[in-house]
Amino acid sequence: MAEFDIIIYGATGFTGRLVAEYLVQNYAGDSLTWAMAGRSLTKLEEVLDAVGAPATTPLITANADDPAALKAMTARATVVITTVGPYTLYGEPLLAACVETGTAYVDLCGEPNFMHAMIAKYDAAAKASGARIVFSCGFDSIPFDLGVWTVEQECIRRFGKPAPRVKGRVRAMKGTFSGGTFASGKATAAAAMKDPAVFKALIDPFALTPGFEGPSQPKGVLPEYDEAIGAWVAPFMMAVINTKNVHRTNFLAGHPYGEDFRYDEMMVAPGLGDLGKAAAEAIAKMNPMNSDKGPAPGEGPSKEERDAGHYDIAFIAEMPDGQSITATVKGDRDPGYGSTSKMIAESALCLVRDVKGEGGITTPGAIMPEALIKRLEAHAGLSFSID
Ligand SMILES: NC(=O)c1ccc[n+]([C@@H]2O[C@H](COP(=O)([O-])OP(=O)(O)OC[C@H]3O[C@@H](n4cnc5c(N)ncnc54)[C@H](OP(=O)(O)O)[C@@H]3O)[C@@H](O)[C@H]2O)c1
C-alpha cells in the first residue's frame, strides 16, 4: 500500500490545476488519498488555496531534473498523474523514476517522438518492475482510442469479426489550446528539425508498434469528399498522435482489429457541396502551431470557454461486404482542458481502483478499455454509443 493513491505532478500548471480542482470537487469525503507536487512550494500553496483543497493536502516538491527527488516522490504513490510538459523536455526522469519504483504513471503526452523513444528505452524495465505506464490520457487520445475499441467490439459481436477499416470523423469540436500545448507542439517541431529519426517517427503510423508494420494507411493530408458521411473532410491536427495510439492498442492487445487494420482521422467540414469543399480547404490551411505567438506556459482557455466547449466524433467501421457500423463518442466541456482534466483523473482512479494489469508501457485501450469507459460515462461527461 502506497502512502497516496494519486500524486498530481505539475499541479501548478494550467491543466494540473484543473485536475486538482476536479479531485477536490468530486472526491472530497471519498477515501481517496492524494497529494499535489511541483517544483515550487510557494506556487503549490497558492494552488491549494485557489482550488479549495483542504489545508492538510500534502505538497511535495521535486524538480523534473532531480532524479533522487522524483524517485522519493514516486515511491510514495500508487499512480502519478503528470502534466509537466513538454514531455520531450521534462518527461523522461519522472517516467524513469516510476519504472524504477514500480509506480503507475498517466500523462497527457501528445509527442509521439517522446513516446517512441521511451518505449524503446523503458518498456522492458516497466514490465519487470510492474510499473503501468499509460501515455496520452487526455483528448489525445482517449476518445479516439476507446471510440475505435467500441466500434470494433460491436463489429465482433454482430459480424463475428473486426472491421479492417475504421474512419474517425470529428463532427464537432469547440475549444482552444494552452501555453503548455503550444510549447509541446513547438518542442516536437524543433526536435524533428534537428533529428531526421524524430521526423521519421512522427510520420510513421506504426512508430509505436516496434517490430510490427501493418498495411499502408490512408494519408489524411488533403481535403476529400467522404461518401461514408456525405460531407467534405479535412486533415485533423491530432491524427498524427491518435492514429499511432490506436495502432499501439491493437498491437498490445494481440491485434483484435486484425493485422490488416486501416485507420484515419479527419475533421468534417461544415456545409454541403462547394461550401463544404471551401470549408475543408480552409481548415486544411489552418495550423495554429505555425504561429510564433501563442499562449504562455500557465495560460489557457477561460472557465467560460471551457464550459462552452464540447466534441462529437463518429467512428465508422466498414466491413469488406459493404456493411458498416457507426459509434459516436461525445464529451462535454472543451476537449483539451475541461474534458481532459476529467479524463486523466479518472484514468488514474481506474488504475488505483478498477484494473490491475501488468507492467509495461501501454495505452488506455489496451489496459483498461471497459472499466475506463464506465468511469468516463459515470463521472466525466463522455458518452460512447452505437448509432
Ligand atoms: N493530450 C492532451 O489532450 C493534452 C491536453 C492538455 C495538455 N496536454 C499537455 O499537457 C502538458 C501541460 O500543459 P499545460 O498547458 O498544463 O502546461 P503548463 O501550464 O505550462 O504547465 C506545465 C507544468 O510543468 C511544470 N514544470 C515545468 N518545468 C518544470 C520543472 N523543471 N520541474 C518541475 N515542474 C516543471 C510547471 O511548473 P511551474 O508552475 O512551476 O512553472 C507546470 O506545473 C503539455 O505537454 C500539453 O501538451 C495534453
Side-chain angles (χ1 to χ4, degrees), residues 9-16 39-40 43 62-64 83-87 90 108-109 111 138-140 178-181 184 297-298 336-337 340:
Y9 186 53
T12 57
F14 185 77
T15 318
R39 60 178 161 180
S40 154
K43 261 188 146 180
N63 200 299
T83 56
V84 173
Y87 296 92
Y90 309 124
L108 294 177
C109 188
E111 299 156 52
F139 185 64
D140 304 334
S178 69
T181 299
S184 298
Y337 307 94
T340 284

PDB file of all heavy atoms in Angstrom, residues 9-16 39-40 43 62-64 83-87 90 108-109 111 138-140 178-181 184 297-298 336-337 340, ligand 1:
ATOM      1  N   TYR A   9       1.542  15.516 -10.353  1.00  0.00           N
ATOM      2  CA  TYR A   9       2.809  16.218 -10.566  1.00  0.00           C
ATOM      3  C   TYR A   9       2.601  17.249 -11.680  1.00  0.00           C
ATOM      4  O   TYR A   9       2.188  16.894 -12.782  1.00  0.00           O
ATOM      5  CB  TYR A   9       3.894  15.207 -10.968  1.00  0.00           C
ATOM      6  CG  TYR A   9       5.269  15.818 -11.080  1.00  0.00           C
ATOM      7  CD1 TYR A   9       5.816  16.557 -10.031  1.00  0.00           C
ATOM      8  CD2 TYR A   9       6.033  15.649 -12.225  1.00  0.00           C
ATOM      9  CE1 TYR A   9       7.077  17.114 -10.125  1.00  0.00           C
ATOM     10  CE2 TYR A   9       7.297  16.194 -12.332  1.00  0.00           C
ATOM     11  CZ  TYR A   9       7.812  16.934 -11.273  1.00  0.00           C
ATOM     12  OH  TYR A   9       9.063  17.497 -11.366  1.00  0.00           O
ATOM     13  N   GLY A  10       2.874  18.521 -11.341  1.00  0.00           N
ATOM     14  CA  GLY A  10       2.560  19.601 -12.291  1.00  0.00           C
ATOM     15  C   GLY A  10       1.263  20.289 -11.903  1.00  0.00           C
ATOM     16  O   GLY A  10       0.617  20.935 -12.732  1.00  0.00           O
ATOM     17  N   ALA A  11       0.901  20.174 -10.610  1.00  0.00           N
ATOM     18  CA  ALA A  11      -0.366  20.755 -10.135  1.00  0.00           C
ATOM     19  C   ALA A  11      -0.396  22.279 -10.268  1.00  0.00           C
ATOM     20  O   ALA A  11      -1.465  22.883 -10.205  1.00  0.00           O
ATOM     21  CB  ALA A  11      -0.605  20.349  -8.685  1.00  0.00           C
ATOM     22  N   THR A  12       0.757  22.894 -10.454  1.00  0.00           N
ATOM     23  CA  THR A  12       0.787  24.357 -10.591  1.00  0.00           C
ATOM     24  C   THR A  12       0.550  24.808 -12.028  1.00  0.00           C
ATOM     25  O   THR A  12       0.406  26.006 -12.289  1.00  0.00           O
ATOM     26  CB  THR A  12       2.153  24.911 -10.135  1.00  0.00           C
ATOM     27  OG1 THR A  12       3.170  24.267 -10.927  1.00  0.00           O
ATOM     28  CG2 THR A  12       2.413  24.641  -8.668  1.00  0.00           C
ATOM     29  N   GLY A  13       0.532  23.892 -12.962  1.00  0.00           N
ATOM     30  CA  GLY A  13       0.336  24.268 -14.372  1.00  0.00           C
ATOM     31  C   GLY A  13      -1.142  24.446 -14.690  1.00  0.00           C
ATOM     32  O   GLY A  13      -2.011  24.196 -13.847  1.00  0.00           O
ATOM     33  N   PHE A  14      -1.420  24.849 -15.905  1.00  0.00           N
ATOM     34  CA  PHE A  14      -2.806  25.132 -16.299  1.00  0.00           C
ATOM     35  C   PHE A  14      -3.678  23.875 -16.183  1.00  0.00           C
ATOM     36  O   PHE A  14      -4.749  23.896 -15.569  1.00  0.00           O
ATOM     37  CB  PHE A  14      -2.845  25.686 -17.733  1.00  0.00           C
ATOM     38  CG  PHE A  14      -4.222  26.100 -18.136  1.00  0.00           C
ATOM     39  CD1 PHE A  14      -4.749  27.296 -17.673  1.00  0.00           C
ATOM     40  CD2 PHE A  14      -5.010  25.288 -18.921  1.00  0.00           C
ATOM     41  CE1 PHE A  14      -6.044  27.674 -18.002  1.00  0.00           C
ATOM     42  CE2 PHE A  14      -6.302  25.657 -19.263  1.00  0.00           C
ATOM     43  CZ  PHE A  14      -6.816  26.851 -18.799  1.00  0.00           C
ATOM     44  N   THR A  15      -3.215  22.776 -16.721  1.00  0.00           N
ATOM     45  CA  THR A  15      -4.034  21.558 -16.717  1.00  0.00           C
ATOM     46  C   THR A  15      -3.965  20.853 -15.363  1.00  0.00           C
ATOM     47  O   THR A  15      -4.976  20.350 -14.859  1.00  0.00           O
ATOM     48  CB  THR A  15      -3.570  20.591 -17.833  1.00  0.00           C
ATOM     49  OG1 THR A  15      -3.296  21.358 -19.014  1.00  0.00           O
ATOM     50  CG2 THR A  15      -4.635  19.571 -18.152  1.00  0.00           C
ATOM     51  N   GLY A  16      -2.765  20.837 -14.758  1.00  0.00           N
ATOM     52  CA  GLY A  16      -2.606  20.174 -13.457  1.00  0.00           C
ATOM     53  C   GLY A  16      -3.525  20.774 -12.408  1.00  0.00           C
ATOM     54  O   GLY A  16      -4.126  20.072 -11.582  1.00  0.00           O
ATOM     55  N   ARG A  39       7.514  22.017  -8.722  1.00  0.00           N
ATOM     56  CA  ARG A  39       8.884  22.414  -8.375  1.00  0.00           C
ATOM     57  C   ARG A  39       8.920  23.551  -7.376  1.00  0.00           C
ATOM     58  O   ARG A  39       9.982  23.869  -6.835  1.00  0.00           O
ATOM     59  CB  ARG A  39       9.648  22.798  -9.626  1.00  0.00           C
ATOM     60  CG  ARG A  39       9.051  23.941 -10.391  1.00  0.00           C
ATOM     61  CD  ARG A  39       9.893  24.299 -11.582  1.00  0.00           C
ATOM     62  NE  ARG A  39       9.130  25.068 -12.555  1.00  0.00           N
ATOM     63  CZ  ARG A  39       9.628  25.512 -13.684  1.00  0.00           C
ATOM     64  NH1 ARG A  39      10.876  25.283 -13.984  1.00  0.00           N
ATOM     65  NH2 ARG A  39       8.875  26.195 -14.515  1.00  0.00           N
ATOM     66  N   SER A  40       7.764  24.219  -7.153  1.00  0.00           N
ATOM     67  CA  SER A  40       7.779  25.389  -6.280  1.00  0.00           C
ATOM     68  C   SER A  40       6.728  25.255  -5.175  1.00  0.00           C
ATOM     69  O   SER A  40       5.521  25.180  -5.455  1.00  0.00           O
ATOM     70  CB  SER A  40       7.501  26.646  -7.122  1.00  0.00           C
ATOM     71  OG  SER A  40       6.937  27.651  -6.312  1.00  0.00           O
ATOM     72  N   LYS A  43       4.210  28.185  -5.097  1.00  0.00           N
ATOM     73  CA  LYS A  43       3.162  28.046  -6.124  1.00  0.00           C
ATOM     74  C   LYS A  43       2.157  26.965  -5.744  1.00  0.00           C
ATOM     75  O   LYS A  43       0.950  27.115  -5.961  1.00  0.00           O
ATOM     76  CB  LYS A  43       3.796  27.700  -7.473  1.00  0.00           C
ATOM     77  CG  LYS A  43       3.966  28.893  -8.387  1.00  0.00           C
ATOM     78  CD  LYS A  43       4.406  28.418  -9.759  1.00  0.00           C
ATOM     79  CE  LYS A  43       3.828  29.288 -10.837  1.00  0.00           C
ATOM     80  NZ  LYS A  43       4.215  28.880 -12.176  1.00  0.00           N
ATOM     81  N   ALA A  62       9.582  18.648  -6.150  1.00  0.00           N
ATOM     82  CA  ALA A  62      10.594  17.877  -6.887  1.00  0.00           C
ATOM     83  C   ALA A  62      10.773  18.543  -8.235  1.00  0.00           C
ATOM     84  O   ALA A  62       9.790  18.782  -8.940  1.00  0.00           O
ATOM     85  CB  ALA A  62      10.133  16.435  -7.079  1.00  0.00           C
ATOM     86  N   ASN A  63      12.015  18.848  -8.573  1.00  0.00           N
ATOM     87  CA  ASN A  63      12.261  19.403  -9.901  1.00  0.00           C
ATOM     88  C   ASN A  63      12.362  18.259 -10.910  1.00  0.00           C
ATOM     89  O   ASN A  63      12.832  17.178 -10.570  1.00  0.00           O
ATOM     90  CB  ASN A  63      13.551  20.244  -9.896  1.00  0.00           C
ATOM     91  CG  ASN A  63      13.574  21.191 -11.075  1.00  0.00           C
ATOM     92  OD1 ASN A  63      13.557  20.776 -12.243  1.00  0.00           O
ATOM     93  ND2 ASN A  63      13.567  22.484 -10.789  1.00  0.00           N
ATOM     94  N   ALA A  64      11.917  18.539 -12.122  1.00  0.00           N
ATOM     95  CA  ALA A  64      11.906  17.499 -13.154  1.00  0.00           C
ATOM     96  C   ALA A  64      13.304  17.016 -13.525  1.00  0.00           C
ATOM     97  O   ALA A  64      13.447  15.986 -14.178  1.00  0.00           O
ATOM     98  CB  ALA A  64      11.187  18.004 -14.399  1.00  0.00           C
ATOM     99  N   THR A  83       1.398  16.248 -15.512  1.00  0.00           N
ATOM    100  CA  THR A  83       1.035  17.263 -16.515  1.00  0.00           C
ATOM    101  C   THR A  83       2.221  18.212 -16.705  1.00  0.00           C
ATOM    102  O   THR A  83       2.045  19.361 -17.099  1.00  0.00           O
ATOM    103  CB  THR A  83      -0.217  18.047 -16.062  1.00  0.00           C
ATOM    104  OG1 THR A  83       0.056  18.615 -14.782  1.00  0.00           O
ATOM    105  CG2 THR A  83      -1.437  17.147 -15.975  1.00  0.00           C
ATOM    106  N   VAL A  84       3.420  17.711 -16.395  1.00  0.00           N
ATOM    107  CA  VAL A  84       4.636  18.516 -16.607  1.00  0.00           C
ATOM    108  C   VAL A  84       5.117  18.287 -18.040  1.00  0.00           C
ATOM    109  O   VAL A  84       5.662  17.242 -18.365  1.00  0.00           O
ATOM    110  CB  VAL A  84       5.726  18.156 -15.578  1.00  0.00           C
ATOM    111  CG1 VAL A  84       7.032  18.871 -15.913  1.00  0.00           C
ATOM    112  CG2 VAL A  84       5.273  18.520 -14.168  1.00  0.00           C
ATOM    113  N   GLY A  85       4.838  19.233 -18.890  1.00  0.00           N
ATOM    114  CA  GLY A  85       5.261  19.133 -20.285  1.00  0.00           C
ATOM    115  C   GLY A  85       5.915  20.426 -20.715  1.00  0.00           C
ATOM    116  O   GLY A  85       5.895  21.398 -19.958  1.00  0.00           O
ATOM    117  N   PRO A  86       6.503  20.473 -21.911  1.00  0.00           N
ATOM    118  CA  PRO A  86       6.655  19.422 -22.905  1.00  0.00           C
ATOM    119  C   PRO A  86       7.365  18.183 -22.341  1.00  0.00           C
ATOM    120  O   PRO A  86       8.402  18.314 -21.681  1.00  0.00           O
ATOM    121  CB  PRO A  86       7.520  20.074 -23.995  1.00  0.00           C
ATOM    122  CG  PRO A  86       7.344  21.552 -23.794  1.00  0.00           C
ATOM    123  CD  PRO A  86       7.087  21.760 -22.355  1.00  0.00           C
ATOM    124  N   TYR A  87       6.796  17.019 -22.640  1.00  0.00           N
ATOM    125  CA  TYR A  87       7.378  15.774 -22.141  1.00  0.00           C
ATOM    126  C   TYR A  87       8.736  15.522 -22.784  1.00  0.00           C
ATOM    127  O   TYR A  87       9.628  14.958 -22.167  1.00  0.00           O
ATOM    128  CB  TYR A  87       6.411  14.609 -22.406  1.00  0.00           C
ATOM    129  CG  TYR A  87       5.126  14.789 -21.621  1.00  0.00           C
ATOM    130  CD1 TYR A  87       4.026  15.444 -22.173  1.00  0.00           C
ATOM    131  CD2 TYR A  87       5.025  14.344 -20.308  1.00  0.00           C
ATOM    132  CE1 TYR A  87       2.859  15.640 -21.450  1.00  0.00           C
ATOM    133  CE2 TYR A  87       3.853  14.530 -19.569  1.00  0.00           C
ATOM    134  CZ  TYR A  87       2.783  15.183 -20.154  1.00  0.00           C
ATOM    135  OH  TYR A  87       1.631  15.390 -19.425  1.00  0.00           O
ATOM    136  N   TYR A  90      10.929  17.544 -20.389  1.00  0.00           N
ATOM    137  CA  TYR A  90      10.950  17.292 -18.929  1.00  0.00           C
ATOM    138  C   TYR A  90      10.488  15.901 -18.515  1.00  0.00           C
ATOM    139  O   TYR A  90      10.499  15.576 -17.331  1.00  0.00           O
ATOM    140  CB  TYR A  90      10.007  18.288 -18.219  1.00  0.00           C
ATOM    141  CG  TYR A  90      10.229  19.730 -18.577  1.00  0.00           C
ATOM    142  CD1 TYR A  90       9.188  20.513 -19.076  1.00  0.00           C
ATOM    143  CD2 TYR A  90      11.479  20.316 -18.411  1.00  0.00           C
ATOM    144  CE1 TYR A  90       9.387  21.844 -19.405  1.00  0.00           C
ATOM    145  CE2 TYR A  90      11.688  21.645 -18.745  1.00  0.00           C
ATOM    146  CZ  TYR A  90      10.639  22.398 -19.244  1.00  0.00           C
ATOM    147  OH  TYR A  90      10.830  23.710 -19.573  1.00  0.00           O
ATOM    148  N   LEU A 108      -0.320  13.242 -20.324  1.00  0.00           N
ATOM    149  CA  LEU A 108      -1.104  13.852 -21.402  1.00  0.00           C
ATOM    150  C   LEU A 108      -0.236  14.006 -22.638  1.00  0.00           C
ATOM    151  O   LEU A 108      -0.358  14.958 -23.394  1.00  0.00           O
ATOM    152  CB  LEU A 108      -1.610  15.234 -20.968  1.00  0.00           C
ATOM    153  CG  LEU A 108      -2.620  15.258 -19.840  1.00  0.00           C
ATOM    154  CD1 LEU A 108      -2.981  16.695 -19.478  1.00  0.00           C
ATOM    155  CD2 LEU A 108      -3.877  14.490 -20.234  1.00  0.00           C
ATOM    156  N   CYS A 109       0.667  13.066 -22.811  1.00  0.00           N
ATOM    157  CA  CYS A 109       1.644  13.236 -23.874  1.00  0.00           C
ATOM    158  C   CYS A 109       0.996  13.172 -25.258  1.00  0.00           C
ATOM    159  O   CYS A 109       0.256  12.245 -25.575  1.00  0.00           O
ATOM    160  CB  CYS A 109       2.713  12.160 -23.749  1.00  0.00           C
ATOM    161  SG  CYS A 109       4.049  12.470 -24.882  1.00  0.00           S
ATOM    162  N   GLU A 111       3.269  13.783 -27.819  1.00  0.00           N
ATOM    163  CA  GLU A 111       4.554  13.914 -28.511  1.00  0.00           C
ATOM    164  C   GLU A 111       5.050  12.512 -28.895  1.00  0.00           C
ATOM    165  O   GLU A 111       5.744  11.857 -28.116  1.00  0.00           O
ATOM    166  CB  GLU A 111       5.545  14.629 -27.587  1.00  0.00           C
ATOM    167  CG  GLU A 111       5.091  16.037 -27.218  1.00  0.00           C
ATOM    168  CD  GLU A 111       5.688  16.542 -25.896  1.00  0.00           C
ATOM    169  OE1 GLU A 111       6.917  16.488 -25.726  1.00  0.00           O
ATOM    170  OE2 GLU A 111       4.914  16.975 -25.028  1.00  0.00           O
ATOM    171  N   GLY A 138      -5.578  12.070 -22.218  1.00  0.00           N
ATOM    172  CA  GLY A 138      -6.430  13.251 -22.369  1.00  0.00           C
ATOM    173  C   GLY A 138      -7.221  13.144 -23.662  1.00  0.00           C
ATOM    174  O   GLY A 138      -7.465  12.037 -24.167  1.00  0.00           O
ATOM    175  N   PHE A 139      -7.624  14.295 -24.211  1.00  0.00           N
ATOM    176  CA  PHE A 139      -8.332  14.290 -25.504  1.00  0.00           C
ATOM    177  C   PHE A 139      -7.478  13.574 -26.551  1.00  0.00           C
ATOM    178  O   PHE A 139      -7.998  12.877 -27.408  1.00  0.00           O
ATOM    179  CB  PHE A 139      -8.657  15.721 -25.926  1.00  0.00           C
ATOM    180  CG  PHE A 139      -9.494  15.759 -27.176  1.00  0.00           C
ATOM    181  CD1 PHE A 139     -10.772  15.237 -27.181  1.00  0.00           C
ATOM    182  CD2 PHE A 139      -8.999  16.316 -28.342  1.00  0.00           C
ATOM    183  CE1 PHE A 139     -11.547  15.262 -28.348  1.00  0.00           C
ATOM    184  CE2 PHE A 139      -9.763  16.346 -29.498  1.00  0.00           C
ATOM    185  CZ  PHE A 139     -11.041  15.822 -29.498  1.00  0.00           C
ATOM    186  N   ASP A 140      -6.165  13.800 -26.477  1.00  0.00           N
ATOM    187  CA  ASP A 140      -5.227  12.882 -27.145  1.00  0.00           C
ATOM    188  C   ASP A 140      -4.926  11.822 -26.115  1.00  0.00           C
ATOM    189  O   ASP A 140      -4.254  12.143 -25.127  1.00  0.00           O
ATOM    190  CB  ASP A 140      -3.900  13.540 -27.507  1.00  0.00           C
ATOM    191  CG  ASP A 140      -4.063  14.766 -28.374  1.00  0.00           C
ATOM    192  OD1 ASP A 140      -5.050  14.862 -29.088  1.00  0.00           O
ATOM    193  OD2 ASP A 140      -3.173  15.622 -28.297  1.00  0.00           O
ATOM    194  N   SER A 178      -3.672  25.566 -24.764  1.00  0.00           N
ATOM    195  CA  SER A 178      -2.962  26.263 -23.683  1.00  0.00           C
ATOM    196  C   SER A 178      -1.513  26.542 -24.068  1.00  0.00           C
ATOM    197  O   SER A 178      -1.023  26.048 -25.098  1.00  0.00           O
ATOM    198  CB  SER A 178      -2.952  25.380 -22.438  1.00  0.00           C
ATOM    199  OG  SER A 178      -2.114  24.257 -22.670  1.00  0.00           O
ATOM    200  N   GLY A 179      -0.828  27.265 -23.190  1.00  0.00           N
ATOM    201  CA  GLY A 179       0.590  27.538 -23.395  1.00  0.00           C
ATOM    202  C   GLY A 179       1.417  26.262 -23.388  1.00  0.00           C
ATOM    203  O   GLY A 179       2.358  26.119 -24.169  1.00  0.00           O
ATOM    204  N   GLY A 180       1.053  25.325 -22.507  1.00  0.00           N
ATOM    205  CA  GLY A 180       1.799  24.068 -22.416  1.00  0.00           C
ATOM    206  C   GLY A 180       1.674  23.263 -23.700  1.00  0.00           C
ATOM    207  O   GLY A 180       2.644  22.661 -24.173  1.00  0.00           O
ATOM    208  N   THR A 181       0.482  23.274 -24.287  1.00  0.00           N
ATOM    209  CA  THR A 181       0.280  22.530 -25.536  1.00  0.00           C
ATOM    210  C   THR A 181       1.040  23.215 -26.674  1.00  0.00           C
ATOM    211  O   THR A 181       1.668  22.556 -27.511  1.00  0.00           O
ATOM    212  CB  THR A 181      -1.233  22.438 -25.841  1.00  0.00           C
ATOM    213  OG1 THR A 181      -1.845  21.733 -24.760  1.00  0.00           O
ATOM    214  CG2 THR A 181      -1.510  21.731 -27.143  1.00  0.00           C
ATOM    215  N   SER A 184       4.582  22.389 -26.314  1.00  0.00           N
ATOM    216  CA  SER A 184       4.847  20.984 -26.658  1.00  0.00           C
ATOM    217  C   SER A 184       4.875  20.806 -28.171  1.00  0.00           C
ATOM    218  O   SER A 184       5.709  20.060 -28.704  1.00  0.00           O
ATOM    219  CB  SER A 184       3.795  20.067 -26.027  1.00  0.00           C
ATOM    220  OG  SER A 184       3.882  20.180 -24.629  1.00  0.00           O
ATOM    221  N   PRO A 297       3.231  29.506 -21.132  1.00  0.00           N
ATOM    222  CA  PRO A 297       3.013  28.420 -20.181  1.00  0.00           C
ATOM    223  C   PRO A 297       2.178  28.906 -18.999  1.00  0.00           C
ATOM    224  O   PRO A 297       2.366  30.027 -18.514  1.00  0.00           O
ATOM    225  CB  PRO A 297       4.433  28.048 -19.738  1.00  0.00           C
ATOM    226  CG  PRO A 297       5.287  28.397 -20.918  1.00  0.00           C
ATOM    227  CD  PRO A 297       4.652  29.631 -21.509  1.00  0.00           C
ATOM    228  N   GLY A 298       1.237  28.108 -18.559  1.00  0.00           N
ATOM    229  CA  GLY A 298       0.360  28.502 -17.444  1.00  0.00           C
ATOM    230  C   GLY A 298      -0.943  29.126 -17.912  1.00  0.00           C
ATOM    231  O   GLY A 298      -1.893  29.218 -17.151  1.00  0.00           O
ATOM    232  N   GLY A 336      -9.558  19.964 -24.736  1.00  0.00           N
ATOM    233  CA  GLY A 336      -8.174  19.958 -24.255  1.00  0.00           C
ATOM    234  C   GLY A 336      -7.987  20.128 -22.768  1.00  0.00           C
ATOM    235  O   GLY A 336      -6.949  19.700 -22.221  1.00  0.00           O
ATOM    236  N   TYR A 337      -8.953  20.728 -22.077  1.00  0.00           N
ATOM    237  CA  TYR A 337      -8.697  21.065 -20.667  1.00  0.00           C
ATOM    238  C   TYR A 337      -9.856  20.663 -19.757  1.00  0.00           C
ATOM    239  O   TYR A 337      -9.677  19.859 -18.836  1.00  0.00           O
ATOM    240  CB  TYR A 337      -8.315  22.550 -20.554  1.00  0.00           C
ATOM    241  CG  TYR A 337      -7.179  22.792 -21.506  1.00  0.00           C
ATOM    242  CD1 TYR A 337      -7.409  23.247 -22.808  1.00  0.00           C
ATOM    243  CD2 TYR A 337      -5.892  22.409 -21.161  1.00  0.00           C
ATOM    244  CE1 TYR A 337      -6.382  23.337 -23.735  1.00  0.00           C
ATOM    245  CE2 TYR A 337      -4.854  22.491 -22.080  1.00  0.00           C
ATOM    246  CZ  TYR A 337      -5.106  22.958 -23.359  1.00  0.00           C
ATOM    247  OH  TYR A 337      -4.091  23.012 -24.259  1.00  0.00           O
ATOM    248  N   THR A 340     -10.292  17.013 -20.719  1.00  0.00           N
ATOM    249  CA  THR A 340      -9.027  16.291 -20.494  1.00  0.00           C
ATOM    250  C   THR A 340      -8.715  16.130 -19.016  1.00  0.00           C
ATOM    251  O   THR A 340      -8.273  15.068 -18.575  1.00  0.00           O
ATOM    252  CB  THR A 340      -7.880  17.039 -21.224  1.00  0.00           C
ATOM    253  OG1 THR A 340      -7.984  16.745 -22.622  1.00  0.00           O
ATOM    254  CG2 THR A 340      -6.512  16.628 -20.724  1.00  0.00           C
TER     255      THR A 340
HETATM  256  N1  LIG B   1      -3.157  15.109 -24.569  1.00  0.00           N
HETATM  257  C1  LIG B   1      -3.971  16.125 -24.387  1.00  0.00           C
HETATM  258  O1  LIG B   1      -5.112  16.073 -24.782  1.00  0.00           O
HETATM  259  C2  LIG B   1      -3.469  17.334 -23.664  1.00  0.00           C
HETATM  260  C3  LIG B   1      -4.345  18.266 -23.147  1.00  0.00           C
HETATM  261  C4  LIG B   1      -3.849  19.306 -22.374  1.00  0.00           C
HETATM  262  C5  LIG B   1      -2.477  19.414 -22.167  1.00  0.00           C
HETATM  263  N2  LIG B   1      -1.654  18.499 -22.713  1.00  0.00           N
HETATM  264  C6  LIG B   1      -0.204  18.535 -22.452  1.00  0.00           C
HETATM  265  O2  LIG B   1      -0.014  18.667 -21.061  1.00  0.00           O
HETATM  266  C7  LIG B   1       1.187  19.368 -20.820  1.00  0.00           C
HETATM  267  C8  LIG B   1       0.908  20.502 -19.832  1.00  0.00           C
HETATM  268  O3  LIG B   1       0.159  21.518 -20.455  1.00  0.00           O
HETATM  269  P1  LIG B   1      -0.234  22.815 -19.618  1.00  0.00           P
HETATM  270  O4  LIG B   1      -0.898  23.739 -20.540  1.00  0.00           O
HETATM  271  O5  LIG B   1      -0.891  22.415 -18.370  1.00  0.00           O
HETATM  272  O6  LIG B   1       1.234  23.370 -19.309  1.00  0.00           O
HETATM  273  P2  LIG B   1       1.711  24.496 -18.269  1.00  0.00           P
HETATM  274  O7  LIG B   1       0.585  25.306 -17.795  1.00  0.00           O
HETATM  275  O8  LIG B   1       2.869  25.157 -18.903  1.00  0.00           O
HETATM  276  O9  LIG B   1       2.222  23.626 -17.018  1.00  0.00           O
HETATM  277  C9  LIG B   1       3.439  22.933 -17.044  1.00  0.00           C
HETATM  278  C10 LIG B   1       3.741  22.414 -15.662  1.00  0.00           C
HETATM  279  O10 LIG B   1       5.060  21.856 -15.720  1.00  0.00           O
HETATM  280  C11 LIG B   1       5.793  22.371 -14.619  1.00  0.00           C
HETATM  281  N3  LIG B   1       7.223  22.377 -14.875  1.00  0.00           N
HETATM  282  C12 LIG B   1       7.888  22.994 -15.897  1.00  0.00           C
HETATM  283  N4  LIG B   1       9.206  22.791 -15.748  1.00  0.00           N
HETATM  284  C13 LIG B   1       9.371  22.035 -14.628  1.00  0.00           C
HETATM  285  C14 LIG B   1      10.483  21.508 -13.958  1.00  0.00           C
HETATM  286  N5  LIG B   1      11.740  21.706 -14.393  1.00  0.00           N
HETATM  287  N6  LIG B   1      10.284  20.788 -12.842  1.00  0.00           N
HETATM  288  C15 LIG B   1       9.039  20.564 -12.373  1.00  0.00           C
HETATM  289  N7  LIG B   1       7.935  21.048 -12.963  1.00  0.00           N
HETATM  290  C16 LIG B   1       8.110  21.775 -14.073  1.00  0.00           C
HETATM  291  C17 LIG B   1       5.247  23.775 -14.414  1.00  0.00           C
HETATM  292  O11 LIG B   1       5.630  24.217 -13.126  1.00  0.00           O
HETATM  293  P3  LIG B   1       5.620  25.792 -12.747  1.00  0.00           P
HETATM  294  O12 LIG B   1       4.196  26.130 -12.487  1.00  0.00           O
HETATM  295  O13 LIG B   1       6.468  25.831 -11.537  1.00  0.00           O
HETATM  296  O14 LIG B   1       6.175  26.537 -13.921  1.00  0.00           O
HETATM  297  C18 LIG B   1       3.764  23.474 -14.552  1.00  0.00           C
HETATM  298  O15 LIG B   1       3.262  22.887 -13.373  1.00  0.00           O
HETATM  299  C19 LIG B   1       1.690  19.822 -22.176  1.00  0.00           C
HETATM  300  O16 LIG B   1       2.701  18.932 -22.592  1.00  0.00           O
HETATM  301  C20 LIG B   1       0.490  19.709 -23.077  1.00  0.00           C
HETATM  302  O17 LIG B   1       0.811  19.453 -24.419  1.00  0.00           O
HETATM  303  C21 LIG B   1      -2.118  17.478 -23.469  1.00  0.00           C
END
